[in-house]
Amino acid sequence: MASHSRLNSENELIERAFNGDRDAFGELYQSYLEQIYRYVYYRIGDQYEAEDLTETVFIKAWEAIPHTEKKGLKFKAWIYRIARNGVVDRYRTHRQNVSLDETNPLSDNDANPEAVYQNNETIRDLIRHVRRLDQDFQDVILYRFILGLSHAETAEIMNRSEIYVRVLQYRALKKLRELMVKEMPGDETAG
Amino acid sequence: MKQPVDEILQECLTSLEKGDLTPDQCLEKYPDYRDELAILIKLAGDLKALPQDQPRPEFVTSSPARLQQRIDVRRLQAINQKRIGIIKMTKGVNIFRRPAFAFIIASLLFVLLVGVGTVNAASVALPGDALYPVKIGLENAQISLAGRDQAIALRIQFANTRAQEINGLIEEQRYSEIPVAAASLENTVQGAVQGLNEIKNNQPAEASTLAEKLDTTLSNNNTALNRVLTKVPEKAKKAIEHAILVSNQEHNRVENAFPPASRPTATPEPTEIGTEATPTNQIGTPTNLNPAGKPNNGHNNKPTEEPKNEHHTVMPPGKPTPEPHGKPTP
């Protein structure tokens, strides 16, 4: 019941935002801010850059509203798709400066997770290995396991069928496992 | 027909999510895939247990207002891009690509369109002034008509202008306009760095020289902005702090792409606002202020003299400032 009324209220906000109501868009922003930030942060690994890109994602969404068909639009998938494109653009622009292998979400400038997980090499390794995967593999792992999105939502965001996402999910986990094992040749049971 | 393993994995993961099955029950259900499933289910579990990083609370608090401001700035820029459409039409003619000539043409067109007095008045306009869009339009015209490297040089110059505008707003106590000016400064700096990345491979010498200029401008701007932080109300302060953070990020990006050792050695020359602050590679941040709000720059051992005329201290309009005569601060 609560989720139904939340959905209704969100649909209303979307309706208003698509009619140019900036306050309504601001409310949608606040609802999705943390999710989009988390996605961007895991993909690029820099807190401040993630904040900046998160805002940019919503600016692009606002600017895209006049050119977007409202009918049947799933806002969540739409905003995630804009975030995904934003991350791709960011990598394209800053390819020389940001290496996927070098970035680390538990970096020194990030006080809270650093304090909590400073010695947790397993977590660091896991994130580092996720970042070494192809973009689609990274995305499916982020959406499904780290951000906790459903299978259907993931398929919607990635603009693919659910069967495709299911296969992708399996391959991504397998590839991730391979990468982890490759770095620990003496420990085949690791993971 | 044998069920594909990806489907089995999905079925197990869904059952685990719903609490219908335990991992062991799932493995027992599919003994043929037991080993592989055990590894992948555990990996999925490890991924789900990763820390759910949250954005900084101060970002969450200040971000909605800044988003609206950034939307305003971009709308303003878009309007001006349309206004200079007529000037852009000249872009195909080679002679217009020479920045000096392009600037003259752009200026003449603006003068013809809006009058000499308006252009003069616009040059000193601040965000929120009626003529500010004219000023931005003229700047956009220059950038549009310049070559790639000249466009970056212009953006660096305009980043300096944006910082001066922030100071101008503070002097006039127009604090509500500061977030817009700060967001505009961020856009300008980011545009310059993006431009540098674009020419890095094809014009390495020019890129390196411009990187040096940008570095100096960012250092000077940030030193000056840090200094005014204590003079402004909280909302404006947050906007300035964010602009400083963005400048720091861009500074780091420039440092990574163009390490100082690889840059051409140039004779230092005073920049428009850089006369009071000694350029260093260490950009001040909001956190490295002493209680009086002055930057504690570990690389700069020169004594800092207290400003006599604040109007010219934070963002002096052009003249180099002589060496300070005051006693060194202990």
Side-chain angles (χ1 to χ4, degrees):
Chain A
M1 194 67 184
S3 90
H4 185 68
S5 87
R6 194 191 65 81
L7 200 65
N8 274 345
S9 120
E10 182 172 304
N11 286 340
E12 196 187 308
L13 285 175
I14 293 166
E15 180 76 29
R16 281 170 48 203
F18 272 70
N19 287 328
D21 184 337
R22 273 168 67 157
D23 290 340
F25 186 75
E27 285 187 46
L28 287 170
Y29 174 65
Q30 302 221 27
S31 302
Y32 284 94
L33 172 64
E34 288 191 10
Q35 300 180 46
I36 297 299
Y37 167 84
R38 212 173 290 141
Y39 167 73
V40 173
Y41 180 43
Y42 268 106
R43 287 299 311 272
I44 63 178
D46 179 282
Q47 191 182 23
Y48 295 115
E49 209 170 333
E51 289 177 357
D52 183 54
L53 187 51
T54 302
E55 283 182 5
T56 305
V57 165
F58 283 90
I59 291 170
K60 285 191 174 169
W62 173 254
E63 289 172 346
I65 280 177
H67 320 288
T68 305
E69 178 57 59
K70 185 174 59 179
K71 200 177 170 187
L73 178 86
K74 290 181 178 163
F75 186 82
K76 189 176 189 177
W78 183 65
I79 199 78
Y80 265 107
R81 272 204 296 272
I82 296 173
R84 191 168 186 251
N85 292 338
V87 168
V88 173
D89 284 349
R90 199 70 156 200
Y91 274 127
R92 202 177 292 144
T93 313
H94 302 302
R95 194 176 287 153
Q96 293 107 327
N97 302 328
V98 182
S99 152
L100 282 173
D101 287 341
E102 286 166 10
T103 56
N104 187 337
L106 304 178
S107 59
D108 289 341
N109 64 1
D110 191 0
N112 292 336
E114 180 70 6
V116 178
Y117 296 104
Q118 197 168 16
N119 299 315
N120 199 332
E121 286 302 317
T122 311
I123 288 175
R124 284 172 177 277
D125 279 349
L126 191 52
I127 294 168
R128 190 166 55 83
H129 285 117
V130 169
R131 288 232 170 87
R132 289 174 62 193
L133 296 170
D134 290 344
Q135 152 135 338
D136 277 359
F137 284 171
Q138 279 192 56
D139 278 340
V140 79
I141 281 179
L142 276 173
Y143 295 140
R144 289 286 293 121
F145 305 117
I146 299 177
L147 300 170
L149 300 183
S150 73
H151 216 69
E153 284 172 331
T154 305
E156 184 81 34
I157 293 167
M158 298 185 81
N159 211 12
R160 302 283 191 177
S161 70
E162 287 195 35
I163 294 173
Y164 180 93
V165 168
R166 193 183 69 205
V167 175
L168 195 68
Q169 167 187 270
Y170 167 69
R171 289 186 185 163
L173 284 174
K174 253 184 101 165
K175 183 72 188 170
L176 179 60
R177 167 71 188 164
E178 274 172 33
L179 287 176
M180 295 172 79
V181 170
K182 203 183 273 183
E183 219 163 83
M184 296 179 286
D187 184 10
E188 288 294 313
T189 57
Chain B
M1 201 174 87
K2 208 173 178 185
Q3 196 179 5
V5 64
D6 56 85
E7 197 178 316
I8 294 170
L9 175 70
Q10 177 55 26
E11 200 179 298
C12 280
L13 292 173
T14 308
S15 301
L16 290 169
E17 276 168 20
K18 288 181 182 169
D20 294 344
L21 291 176
T22 64
D24 284 340
Q25 285 170 332
C26 203
L27 299 180
E28 276 167 26
K29 199 174 165 189
Y30 300 100
D32 291 352
Y33 297 106
R34 190 183 173 88
D35 292 347
E36 186 177 12
L37 281 178
I39 289 168
L40 299 182
I41 288 171
K42 176 165 189 321
L43 190 51
D46 289 346
L47 288 164
K48 284 185 178 183
L50 282 174
Q52 293 290 310
D53 294 291
Q54 303 292 329
R56 293 177 303 129
E58 52 269 41
F59 167 71
V60 177
T61 312
S62 64
S63 181
R66 196 171 47 251
L67 179 80
Q68 303 282 2
Q69 287 144 12
R70 286 181 70 180
I71 287 173
D72 282 338
V73 168
R74 283 173 67 104
R75 197 182 50 186
L76 189 68
Q77 286 172 339
I79 291 167
N80 282 310
Q81 283 295 334
K82 281 183 190 165
R83 283 183 186 164
I84 61 162
I86 188 168
I87 299 166
K88 282 183 106 176
M89 283 163 63
T90 61
K91 212 176 173 182
V93 186
N94 275 343
I95 194 165
F96 291 117
R97 296 193 68 83
R98 296 171 62 180
F101 197 79
F103 177 72
I104 293 165
I105 295 295
S107 306
L108 280 174
L109 278 170
F110 258 88
V111 169
L112 284 172
L113 288 170
V114 293
V116 182
T118 311
V119 170
N120 278 340
S123 66
V124 292
L126 295 173
D129 290 346
L131 287 176
Y132 190 67
V134 176
K135 180 182 184 179
I136 298 295
L138 190 54
E139 288 180 2
N140 285 342
Q142 291 179 66
I143 290 171
S144 298
L145 296 168
R148 292 175 87 182
D149 53 337
Q150 289 93 353
I152 298 164
L154 284 169
R155 285 186 198 280
I156 295 169
Q157 183 191 323
F158 297 148
N160 198 28
T161 308
R162 297 291 87 81
Q164 288 182 29
E165 287 166 0
I166 291 174
N167 188 55
L169 290 169
I170 293 168
E171 282 171 6
E172 294 185 13
Q173 299 188 344
R174 290 162 56 187
Y175 303 121
S176 62
E177 307 289 350
I178 286 176
V180 176
S184 186
L185 170 62
E186 291 171 16
N187 282 349
T188 309
V189 171
Q190 285 169 335
V193 175
Q194 189 173 335
L196 275 178
N197 271 326
E198 285 166 7
I199 67 161
K200 188 185 172 190
N201 294 330
N202 294 337
Q203 296 171 263
E206 288 88 346
S208 196
T209 307
L210 287 165
E212 183 68 31
K213 270 189 185 173
L214 179 60
D215 226 5
T216 307
T217 299
L218 290 178
S219 295
N220 293 347
N221 280 1
N222 276 7
T223 306
L225 290 176
N226 266 311
R227 211 166 276 178
V228 298
L229 275 177
T230 51
K231 299 179 183 176
V232 296
E234 197 55 28
K235 194 175 170 189
K237 186 180 172 186
K238 280 187 173 148
I240 294 175
E241 282 176 345
H242 192 267
I244 292 170
L245 286 174
V246 169
S247 291
N248 280 339
Q249 287 166 21
E250 300 303 329
H251 165 81
N252 291 338
R253 201 168 284 151
V254 173
E255 291 265 290
N256 288 339
F258 306 91
S262 71
R263 296 180 200 163
T265 317
T267 310
E269 52 185 63
T271 61
E272 276 185 36
I273 73 155
T275 49
E276 215 256 338
T278 306
T280 68
N281 287 331
Q282 181 69 41
I283 293 186
T285 67
T287 52
N288 68 355
L289 294 171
N290 64 24
K294 293 176 193 167
N296 291 331
N297 192 332
H299 294 262
N300 183 2
N301 293 324
K302 284 185 184 176
T304 309
E305 195 175 43
E306 198 58 32
K308 282 173 187 157
N309 179 347
E310 289 193 348
H311 178 80
H312 293 290
T313 302
V314 180
M315 310 282 174
K319 275 202 299 180
T321 306
E323 281 295 301
H325 305 296
K327 283 183 183 176
T329 312

